[in-house]
Structure formats: structure tokens, C-alpha cells
Amino acid sequence: MGSVRLPSLVDTPPPSRTASTTAMSLSNTAKTLKTPFVGAFQMLSDPLLTEHYANLGFGAVLIDQQHGLLDERTAFECVQRLEKFPSCFSIIRVCDNTTALISRALDAGACGIIAPMINSVDDAKRLVEQCRMLCRQEIRGVLPR
């Protein structure tokens, strides 16, 4: 049986993983994607596994801290392994909805998060507020004055 190679999702890699290049890359992916977007759930605490998922052509790796065996440090190492694969996006499923965990996951370079226990509109609004950056005149973080 032959192996199946997924098409490259982004033609040219961005120079670095900033919020704007990631957003552009995600936008370009949505426009040019001709096959279903396939991602992998990672529940084992091995950053090499993350890199293997990217090498196999997955479009995203969901690093599961809620139900997986990943502590914060290992999850962040997994995100770092994906830096050299611009067509594979890192998503962290945080284990709790605390501002500290969410902001640290985003600061580590995750392209997105999945948060547990969002049961109401107020919970969703609070989550959005926790994800915003002060440097964009929003809430999260500190600016030197």
C-alpha cells in the first residue's frame, strides 16, 4: 500500500511566527485548501512526536494539556518544535481557564487555544478578554511607559 502525501498548505514560509504572519498564513491556507484540513491530537509528552506529525504533513497539532500527559514546559517545547514548519499550526488545549495558563500558552507561540468549561456567553467573553494583548490597546500584558 502506498503512502499518501498531503499537499503543502502554504506556498512560501513566513519569515517568522508573528501574529500577523500567522493570521495571513491561516487566511491563505483557507483560500488555497483543496482537501480537508487534517490535524493531530497529541496526548503524549514527547516533543519529537510533534515534529513527526508536522513531517507527516498534518496542518495542525493540538497539544492536549487537559486530558493528555503534557505539563506546561513540555507543551511549550512542542510548540517550539513546530516553529520550523510554517504550514503546521500549534494549538494548545489548556487544562484550566485561568488567565495565567492562557496567556503563557499564547506567549509561548501557540497559534490558538482551546479552553475547557465554556458554558455561557459570559464565560466566552471572559475567555476573549484573557486572550487580548495590552500592546494592541487591549487587556493582557504590560507596556513600558
Side-chain angles (χ1 to χ4, degrees), residues 52-65:
H52 286 301
Y53 284 141
N55 274 325
L56 288 171
F58 284 97
V61 177
L62 190 140
I63 301 158
D64 192 354
Q65 285 186 287

Side-chain angles (χ1 to χ4, degrees), residues 3-142:
S3 64
V4 176
R5 175 77 174 128
L6 295 174
S8 174
L9 300 177
V10 179
D11 294 334
T12 56
S16 68
R17 276 274 170 127
T18 63
S20 62
T21 58
T22 299
M24 281 180 26
S25 189
L26 285 169
S27 176
N28 290 339
T29 298
K31 290 177 188 171
T32 61
L33 194 61
K34 299 204 178 13
T35 60
F37 192 80
V38 179
F41 257 82
Q42 179 171 347
M43 299 180 78
L44 299 176
S45 60
D46 188 356
L48 283 175
L49 180 60
T50 311
E51 195 168 335
H52 286 301
Y53 284 141
N55 274 325
L56 288 171
F58 284 97
V61 177
L62 190 140
I63 301 158
D64 192 354
Q65 285 186 287
Q66 184 183 15
H67 299 294
L69 301 172
L70 291 102
D71 61 4
E72 192 174 41
R73 179 178 176 176
T74 307
F76 297 167
E77 288 174 12
C78 293
V79 170
Q80 290 173 346
R81 291 287 179 137
L82 291 178
E83 289 292 319
K84 58 185 168 182
F85 300 97
S87 63
C88 186
F89 302 103
S90 58
I91 302 168
I92 294 182
R93 183 184 200 176
V94 294
C95 58
D96 195 350
N97 286 340
T98 61
T99 303
L101 290 176
I102 291 168
S103 61
R104 288 179 63 145
L106 293 171
D107 289 343
C111 296
I113 61 159
I114 294 178
M117 310 306 274
I118 304 297
N119 298 317
S120 68
V121 173
D122 289 337
D123 289 345
K125 287 179 181 178
R126 194 174 317 110
L127 175 65
V128 170
E129 292 302 316
Q130 290 171 329
C131 294
R132 291 194 169 156
M133 295 288 289
L134 180 64
C135 63
R136 288 184 241 155
Q137 298 178 353
E138 295 167 1
I139 291 177
R140 189 172 66 87
V142 176

